[in-house]
Amino acid sequence: MISDLAARGFVLALEGSTQLATCAIRAPDGQVTELAAPEGARHVERLPSLAANVAAEAGASLANLALVVVGSGPGSYMGIRATVAVANALSYVAKCPVAEISTLDSLGLQIATTERETTAALAAGRGRYFVASYQVVDGVVERTSEVALVDGSEIADLRERSPSARGHLCAIESRPEWLERYEVAGAQPRYGPSGREA
């Protein structure tokens, strides 16, 4: 079980599907350390050094991770591919499982409220967005609509908020079933609402 793995050691999370790349690490005691790369083109190239820096800051070794969690998209094609590749490489080096989570689900965990349904949106290019809706029901975040690709004109009151690696760590306790786990280096990118199109 994913929460058992997380309790045994350090868990590293990576996110790079938007113009902001982040890396967070959670210690067995629950303390989270997070770092972000400066926004812009080629930001995911900094993920390996970002992972090393966040591990050093948390007093962890990348070779001794208990679990790696990665946001697998949807989002930027190259950002997702690079982030998943780094996550799989770290999983392989540490010989630990890797888990992937939909970047929209991770963002939904961070923004959902009990007051009303909240829509998470990630830019898909050409004025389109990947969207899904979330709401807290009986203390648990529920996805109230599946991922869809919509024209930006269909989204009202859009406030920008980037997904972060910290959100991926939230899923371990609150929605572990939203994580897809592989033994070592098996995470795969998701490029759009229909799944894993190349």
Side-chain angles (χ1 to χ4, degrees), residues 57-136:
E57 196 168 305
S61 165
L62 291 177
N64 295 318
L65 296 172
L67 176 68
V68 176
V69 181
V70 63
S72 58
S76 159
Y77 178 81
M78 289 307 292
I80 295 166
R81 288 179 65 86
T83 306
V84 169
V86 170
N88 281 331
L90 289 169
S91 165
Y92 182 77
V93 167
K95 295 177 180 52
C96 71
V98 62
E100 61 184 57
I101 185 168
S102 158
T103 304
L104 274 173
D105 284 347
S106 177
L107 185 56
L109 285 169
Q110 295 175 74
I111 66 172
T113 67
T114 54
E115 291 80 38
R116 62 187 173 99
E117 187 176 76
T118 305
T119 299
L122 295 171
R126 298 186 184 131
R128 299 172 302 162
Y129 290 84
F130 296 113
V131 298
S133 296
Y134 302 85
Q135 187 167 12
V136 178

Side-chain angles (χ1 to χ4, degrees), residues 21-90:
T22 64
C23 187
I25 195 162
R26 187 174 92 174
D29 66 5
Q31 181 158 345
V32 176
T33 305
E34 184 174 29
L35 295 175
E39 288 188 41
R42 304 171 72 102
H43 61 292
V44 291
E45 290 179 2
R46 295 189 172 114
L47 276 173
S49 62
L50 199 62
N53 291 342
V54 79
E57 196 168 305
S61 165
L62 291 177
N64 295 318
L65 296 172
L67 176 68
V68 176
V69 181
V70 63
S72 58
S76 159
Y77 178 81
M78 289 307 292
I80 295 166
R81 288 179 65 86
T83 306
V84 169
V86 170
N88 281 331
L90 289 169

